[in-house]
Amino acid sequence: MTTNAAARITVRRATVEDLPEAAVLFGGYLEFYGKPADPEKALAFLRERHERGESVLLLARDENGAPAGFTHIYPTFSSLSMAPVWTLNDLYVAPSARRTGAGRALVRACAAAAKEAGAVGVQLQTAPDNHTAQALYIAEGFVPDEFAAYWLTL
């Protein structure tokens, strides 16, 4: 569990009991990118990935316990570095938690989880026009690459 003391954001790994709440946040992520958000499909997707152990879902909460955001991360292998890496996929901060440090806390928790698991880095790709996310990733040490891809060496 990671806490951002300034903003009082707490991040932890989601359990199966957290999946319905995570599905609501995932729906917000889909809507942000202009995709239809079907809560049942989002829940089914997250549940399947959780049950198969293919990914880790990190949830952020504000000081009152309200959902602040989530990130969906999974281990993979980089053929370029010939080592295990993690991919940060789907980072979303709820509108009510924007400018609270929730995004920063989620990125830091992702990096910490990847490092703890023995990964040599974290990779991600974001929308080329999502300048807020790009600025966050760069501020947290990610190096921009081509095609809106970013890399963080751990």
Side-chain angles (χ1 to χ4, degrees), residues 35-116:
K35 305 293 181 189
D38 178 342
E40 294 304 314
K41 280 186 179 179
L43 180 58
F45 171 76
L46 293 175
R47 180 164 297 169
E48 178 182 357
R49 302 237 7 154
H50 185 80
E51 287 173 355
R52 293 192 330 200
E54 294 176 348
S55 61
V56 173
L57 192 65
L58 299 175
L59 289 176
R61 295 190 181 280
D62 68 16
E63 61 188 2
N64 299 314
F70 84 101
T71 188
H72 178 221
I73 55 180
Y74 59 92
T76 186
F77 190 83
S78 169
S79 57
L80 295 177
S81 63
M82 298 298 292
V85 299
W86 278 35
T87 298
L88 188 158
N89 198 45
D90 312 331
L91 183 134
Y92 177 73
V93 175
S96 62
R98 298 214 173 119
R99 301 201 179 279
T100 65
R104 185 173 301 268
L106 284 162
V107 170
R108 288 178 179 175
C110 170
K115 188 172 186 173
E116 182 179 308

Side-chain angles (χ1 to χ4, degrees), residues 26 97 114:
F26 190 57

Side-chain angles (χ1 to χ4, degrees), residues 137-152:
Y137 300 136
I138 291 169
E140 288 301 311
F142 282 82
V143 177
D145 201 358
E146 56 188 342
F147 309 115
Y150 292 79
W151 173 259
L152 175 68

